[in-house]
């Protein structure tokens, strides 16, 4: 019943990556952090701006094409196999499809023990942090803040509007079996 | 009496760079953001780890050598000339020498109108954010949190422990003449 | 008999990553590029400088610890599963263990169809390119130039000393089934 | 008659930045590397995609707006002041305006001793290297390869199509007074 995968699901600029790094620092065993950004960086540059791959709408919304879905499905199978082979994995995700995204991961992970964590941040606060970061397309934080949680079922939720990443990580670590 | 330079002085991981990007977004005119990190990146790689340049002590403290000081003095003269030539400049700084660092900038800037801003963050909170960032040498946040403010005189101080970067930026912008 | 994985093996600064990006541009199907750098970035920061993880000797040599090996084994299983699930994968690798490194991948990949490509670069030229990049520890290029090829068996070798990355990529693409 | 500034002028992906890092490594004194990319990074994010700042045409061409020009003029004054104050400076530039760009620098630098270096690269080769880098807008290399040299007068030219960055740097260093 040992936790094999921790899924951090939250909108852009909600603070997931910072929590992931803090989790790696506070958990006693070594954990790998992977996620949708790893997958996107692995794709051809051309797929990052094409109808087949990923498109960014003017309001920061993301549209994902069929070739993205195909590679993503194989990626998920690979992550599940890594976990079964003994790697502890933190997944840094933004479930743009809400419950449907979670179901895809459930199908891929099968019996792997997962801790599902919702990372919540007030949309206006996340939008401000998006400006402070300066490396994200304006509007992603606001457009994703709510939809990524739609219909998703969690074991635990953390809230970064008023809580530091390290404190969120400690709360999550306390739930890791 | 127009403000020509905004100096943001604070320790590592206190949130200066995020405030600078928010300031650039909220101020009506275009401002350049430069700072000690720009200078370090401009230096030869070899000076970033040598007795003549910059050394990182095991506790995250930074020791600066004589060749660094020489280049820094010319850099400061250049920044002052940019401001006199009409560029509005935000300086993202960590005054490791406290009041002495401020005096060096006062000497270089001369009659240029400066808004001196202290960026405060609780040392333990900054140390947690340093872990969340994952790209800074552990210990810099804690070792710099207090010393960078020692003897420094400010027009305005902001506090990032419980205040978002965008809100700090709005408070600073309200003091820009 | 379709090629499912392309392994690019070569020393640091031999030009593997540039060839990988060119391959992604010239191959008609979408390929993912992953590799040892992806794995290292996924690890906790602490493992990147510890006896359990990775250590950099003063001459640029890399020493890999037992916890690195454990995570790497699970990573390899996961990559193999991704390929079996239909993802086409370019692996950007530096076989510090020579033939033993290749054997580990052979064990993990099993019947997956692999194109093994050696990326050769004259050690002195690679050392010069390491200086030009400015983001690698000095000495890695020279120390790895020969050892990564020791005992490794290839389907194809390319040479970046006098050949552009795009031309190497075209030669490799012509061998992809 | 000591050289105070080395200007490296060439198109995107012609290899200027690599030559600059090699120059910093081979020259006996410490030199700062600054350039148009430093200036762009210092600007507000909004100016990097606006009619007032910088625009990227679909073919990779760059269009520069009036607010960019104003900040650039002050930046040039500042660089000149840094050089007069004793900093040795390598400028990594792409003279999109050809001779007019050089004239602007001549006006700003006045009596400062400059070594003007043209960095040439065959357009097709530079375009291939742009693909290999993967971080530049496709087309910049080809569109800039010739125009940046139009009417520019050099003390020295180097050619990166068949010459390594380190060898180019050594040739340039031999001309530094």
């Amino acid at each position: 019943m040992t936790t094999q995968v921790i899924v951090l699901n939250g909108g852009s600029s909600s603070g997931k990556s910072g929590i992931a790094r803090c989790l790696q620092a506070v958990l006693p065993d070594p954990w790998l952090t992977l996620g949708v950004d790893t997958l996107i960086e692995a794709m051809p540059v051309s797929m990052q701006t094409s109808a087949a791959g990923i498109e960014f709408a003017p309001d920061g919304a993301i549209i994902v094409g069929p070739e993205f879905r195909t590679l993503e499905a194989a990626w998920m199978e690979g992550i599940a196999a890594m976990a079964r082979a003994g790697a502890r994995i933190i997944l840094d995700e933004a479930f743009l499809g809400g419950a449907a995204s979670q179901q895809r991961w459930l199908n891929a992970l099968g019996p792997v023990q997962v801790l599902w964590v919702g990372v919540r941040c007030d949309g206006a606060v996340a939008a401000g942090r998006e400006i402070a970061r300066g490396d994200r397309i304006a509007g992603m934080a606001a457009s994703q803040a709510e939809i990524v949680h739609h219909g998703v079922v969690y074991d635990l939720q953390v809230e970064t509007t008023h809580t530091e990443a390290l404190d969120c990580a400690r709360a999550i670590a306390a739930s890791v079996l």
Side-chain angles (χ1 to χ4, degrees), chain A:
Chain A
M1 289 291 285
T2 307
T3 307
Q4 297 167 280
V5 168
I6 302 169
V7 173
L8 303 177
N9 177 46
S12 184
S13 293
S14 65
K16 303 179 304 289
S17 300
I19 293 174
R21 278 186 286 264
C22 289
L23 271 170
Q24 290 184 303
V26 301
L27 287 166
D29 293 307
W31 287 69
L32 294 181
T33 297
L34 297 165
V36 65
D37 284 352
T38 320
L39 173 61
I40 291 172
E41 279 171 41
M43 288 183 175
V45 171
S46 63
M47 279 190 64
Q48 295 174 20
T49 49
S50 76
I54 305 163
E55 284 181 287
F56 294 91
D59 65 351
I62 295 175
I63 301 136
V64 168
E67 293 188 2
F68 182 94
R69 278 280 173 262
T70 302
L71 287 175
E72 187 193 37
W75 167 260
M76 287 172 164
E77 291 296 322
I79 298 292
M82 267 178 224
R84 287 193 304 267
R88 297 170 187 87
I89 302 176
I90 300 164
L91 288 178
D92 181 341
E93 296 291 327
F95 286 174
L96 299 180
S101 301
Q102 184 174 36
Q103 190 58 51
R104 276 198 293 273
W105 274 111
L106 280 165
N107 294 347
L109 290 168
V112 169
Q113 286 294 312
V114 180
L115 183 72
W116 298 94
V117 182
V119 180
R120 298 266 183 183
C121 185
D122 175 81
V125 169
R129 292 178 187 171
E130 184 177 68
I131 296 169
R133 292 173 69 170
D135 61 351
R136 288 296 182 281
I137 292 171
M140 286 176 67
S143 77
Q144 297 180 11
E146 292 304 319
I147 60 159
V148 298
H149 299 291
H150 201 257
V152 180
V153 180
Y154 296 115
D155 297 302
L156 177 71
Q157 295 195 57
V158 294
E159 190 276 326
T160 63
T161 315
H162 301 293
T163 314
E164 295 292 312
L166 184 55
D167 294 325
C168 293
R170 285 182 177 135
I172 297 165
S175 294
V176 171
L177 303 178

